[in-house]
Amino acid sequence: MPGPGYELVGQEELKQVTDVVKSGHLFRYGKQDDPNFQAKVFTFERELAKRCNVNHSVAVTSGSAALIVALMAIGLNPGDEVIVPAYTFVATYSAIIFCGGIPVLTEIDASLNIDPNEIEKHIGPKTRVIMPVHMLGNACDMDSIMHIAKKHNLIVIEDACQANGGSYRGRALGTIGALGAFSLNIFKTITAGDGGAVITDDDDLYIRAFSFHDQGHLPNRTGVEVGARSILGLNFRMNEVTGALGLAQLRKLDSIIETLRIKKAKFKSQISGLPGISFRTLNDPEGDCATLCTIIFDDPQKAELIASKLKTNTLDKSGWHVYANMEHMNKWLQEHNLPYGKGAYPKTDDILSRALNLSVGVVDGGLGASFGINIHSTDEEIEKTGELVRKTCHAV
Ligand SMILES: *Cc1c(COP(=O)(O)O)cnc(C)c1O
């Protein structure tokens, strides 16, 4: 059971995909005068932009592709440094590396997101971008980050791959910086199996993002190539079947978030007030995607003991999202004379060793969230799970 969108794949997705297959148009471009052409990718882009309240969106093949397209849109140069958190999925780093940039890892705070107080010490002559990652469905402290970026003339690209549907002070995540990136892989709030999108309000960045994702072609939604290709690009185009799935899922996003918020509130009320345990800081509780519930213990031994009793892991042992556990990334960092391996980011190590992810809508062992509730959980199941957490904590 991966993400909540995946759990809800049903008739709506079937209808959308059937439309495409019946139409005979699998490619995102179609003839304007062909009534069969469904323009699912285009419609997905328009509805996503509208939902986020920005002018533009470019659908792509993955969240990784969305990050690469965003970095190419701002014209990242070889050797440019990008400030990123030490707790994120490896794609945040690898996207930067394959664009020729250098990811500069930065400590996180009790929000499990990048600590704004740690950013300025990493800013130097080569710094070009800050890439905050809205981890586990919750916003970074964007006011502080935007303030720092403005002061040092840096571009902000938001990795919102885990936070599609979340917001910060009323603005959709991904829309506060220059560009935002979403993923549609199966562990995200909504899914098309794989897929992604870039969003931006800026016309020029949109043209560059679109062009890069389609071999330099200018945005042209109905298919006729109008020329004037100003940049070299690659092919990260979304196809119509993926667009159809993405569209059906996007139309479920509001109800998914609403459902998860109700279930998370119930779950949280069951487990609040336990001695020595606090909840992760939320920079904007109202914008929470409610996909996960992170608890932080005072003591790492206690955290580990309780995790093992609940048959799960503390976040430092959760797998993929911890820099210290990325052998391939650590090899790269070592080769580039950058801090690597456990101990390189001690504050991050400490917080992750005391934190536990309880699932609410995203059930993902790779995130350390194999234990908890899910989008189908009944009130009774939520109570039972809450009780188990409570009893386990009291017994330790
Ligand atoms: C999932 C994810 C990505 C990459 O998305 P894919 O669609 O799997 O390529 C990037 N960044 C973060 C933080 C993610 O969680």
Side-chain angles (χ1 to χ4, degrees):
M1 184 179 286
Y6 191 87
E7 279 304 298
L8 299 179
V9 171
Q11 288 306 313
E12 300 77 10
E13 286 75 8
L14 185 61
K15 164 79 171 62
Q16 290 290 343
V17 171
T18 307
D19 280 356
V20 169
V21 177
K22 280 187 181 161
S23 79
H25 290 269
L26 300 180
F27 189 39
R28 69 161 291 158
Y29 300 122
K31 284 212 179 78
Q32 243 168 325
D33 56 3
D34 183 345
N36 278 329
F37 177 53
Q38 302 282 317
K40 299 293 186 193
V41 175
F42 176 57
T43 310
F44 169 77
E45 289 175 335
R46 291 318 311 149
E47 290 194 16
L48 179 65
K50 184 154 184 271
R51 192 192 180 283
C52 294
N53 200 22
V54 286
N55 284 325
H56 306 292
S57 144
V58 182
V60 293
T61 45
S62 69
S64 306
L67 291 170
I68 290 173
V69 168
L71 288 162
M72 295 314 286
I74 64 117
L76 195 81
N77 291 311
D80 282 352
E81 292 178 359
V82 181
I83 293 177
V84 286
Y87 178 52
T88 183
F89 184 54
V90 66
T92 311
Y93 307 145
S94 50
I96 295 164
I97 290 168
F98 285 110
C99 290
I102 298 176
V104 176
L105 278 63
T106 304
E107 301 271 22
I108 60 165
D109 61 23
S111 74
L112 281 277
N113 286 323
I114 193 165
D115 182 348
N117 296 313
E118 294 279 342
I119 291 177
E120 279 189 303
K121 70 171 70 157
H122 293 297
I123 295 177
K126 290 191 170 168
T127 312
R128 185 87 190 285
V129 176
I130 304 175
M131 187 181 278
V133 183
H134 306 298
M135 281 298 284
L136 316 169
N138 268 286
C140 297
D141 175 355
M142 289 308 291
D143 282 350
S144 301
I145 291 166
M146 294 310 288
H147 177 78
I148 294 165
K150 206 171 167 195
K151 185 171 150 198
H152 296 274
N153 198 20
L154 303 174
I155 300 165
V156 174
I157 297 174
E158 296 172 69
D159 181 342
C161 286
Q162 294 191 14
N164 190 357
S167 63
Y168 178 76
R169 297 186 192 261
R171 296 166 74 183
L173 296 181
T175 68
I176 300 156
L179 298 128
F182 293 128
S183 163
L184 295 171
N185 90 22
I186 60 169
F187 294 101
K188 314 302 185 184
T189 49
I190 56 170
T191 184
D194 258 320
V198 179
I199 54 170
T200 182
D201 221 15
D202 185 291
D203 296 348
D204 294 333
L205 288 176
Y206 167 63
I207 290 170
R208 284 186 59 91
F210 193 97
S211 301
F212 184 78
H213 112 292
D214 186 19
Q215 309 288 9
H217 293 166
L218 287 172
N220 183 325
R221 305 328 200 120
T222 49
V224 188
E225 167 50 38
V226 293
R229 286 165 291 177
S230 59
I231 60 168
L232 276 173
L234 284 167
N235 172 11
F236 292 113
R237 289 185 309 262
M238 184 182 278
N239 68 63
E240 285 286 282
V241 176
T242 304
L245 286 165
L247 188 58
Q249 288 267 297
L250 183 61
R251 291 175 178 169
K252 295 180 178 179
L253 182 55
D254 285 329
S255 81
I256 287 173
I257 302 275
E258 201 182 298
T259 305
L260 292 181
R261 283 179 183 167
I262 293 167
K263 293 193 194 287
K264 181 171 175 178
K266 282 191 186 125
F267 192 32
K268 246 180 134 166
S269 75
Q270 295 282 316
I271 56 179
S272 59
L274 293 165
I277 300 173
S278 58
F279 291 106
R280 164 195 189 192
T281 306
L282 300 184
N283 290 309
D284 183 353
E286 281 174 31
D288 185 6
C289 290
T291 38
L292 294 141
C293 178
T294 310
I295 52 177
I296 303 179
F297 295 81
D298 291 348
D299 176 70
Q301 273 87 40
K302 189 173 172 184
E304 197 171 336
L305 199 57
I306 289 169
S308 76
K309 284 190 192 288
L310 295 175
K311 299 190 177 64
T312 179
N313 285 308
T314 49
L315 292 194
D316 61 332
K317 300 195 178 64
S318 69
W320 293 328
H321 298 74
V322 183
Y323 78 93
N325 300 346
M326 297 176 190
E327 63 285 358
H328 41 1
M329 184 59 203
N330 280 298
K331 186 162 168 270
W332 188 92
L333 289 168
Q334 186 180 11
E335 284 165 4
H336 291 77
N337 294 317
L338 293 164
Y340 71 95
K342 203 172 169 93
Y345 298 93
K347 284 189 198 170
T348 301
D349 294 342
D350 171 56
I351 292 165
L352 296 179
S353 73
R354 292 185 290 110
L356 206 59
N357 273 341
L358 305 173
S359 63
V360 179
V362 169
V363 187
D364 177 6
L367 271 177
S370 48
F371 173 84
I373 61 169
N374 64 68
I375 193 155
H376 301 306
S377 295
T378 61
D379 283 359
E380 203 177 300
E381 285 162 351
I382 296 172
E383 265 171 47
K384 265 178 76 179
T385 310
E387 193 180 296
L388 180 57
V389 175
R390 252 188 355 258
K391 280 192 174 155
T392 309
C393 290
H394 281 305
V396 169

